[in-house]
Amino acid sequence: MKAYRFFNVSANGKITSAMGNQEWRPGKWVAYSGVVSPCQAGLHACRTVFDALQNRQGACLGIVECAGKDIVDC
């Protein structure tokens, strides 16, 4: 599933989540083995740009691909 989320970008180009300390790299998958819980570990994404704007804003809006278990929290 494709989804939308905001990222923070530091001066040295490091891309991170607003929640949690997950670092992101374009084109690389992130595996998560913990308990799936809404807004934990910085792994949330929204199905629409509008929802992303209402959720958490950051410096950069990105399109992400999600796979596996998901939880709808709204």
Side-chain angles (χ1 to χ4, degrees), residues 59-72:
C60 179
L61 177 65
I63 299 172
V64 298
E65 280 192 72
C66 306
K69 183 176 182 180
D70 67 341
I71 296 174
V72 177

Side-chain angles (χ1 to χ4, degrees), residues 2-73:
K2 289 194 179 185
Y4 302 90
R5 64 163 294 127
F6 279 95
F7 299 96
N8 292 323
V9 182
S10 68
N12 65 358
K14 184 177 177 181
I15 303 169
T16 57
S17 298
M19 290 286 293
N21 58 1
Q22 178 65 50
E23 183 175 349
W24 299 90
R25 294 195 175 125
K28 301 288 181 183
W29 279 93
V30 173
Y32 183 71
S33 60
V35 175
V36 177
S37 179
C39 298
Q40 298 296 314
L43 298 174
H44 55 274
C46 298
R47 294 176 192 256
T48 69
V49 172
F50 182 75
D51 289 341
L53 287 165
Q54 292 185 328
N55 192 341
R56 280 198 201 282
Q57 295 182 18
C60 179
L61 177 65
I63 299 172
V64 298
E65 280 192 72
C66 306
K69 183 176 182 180
D70 67 341
I71 296 174
V72 177
D73 185 33

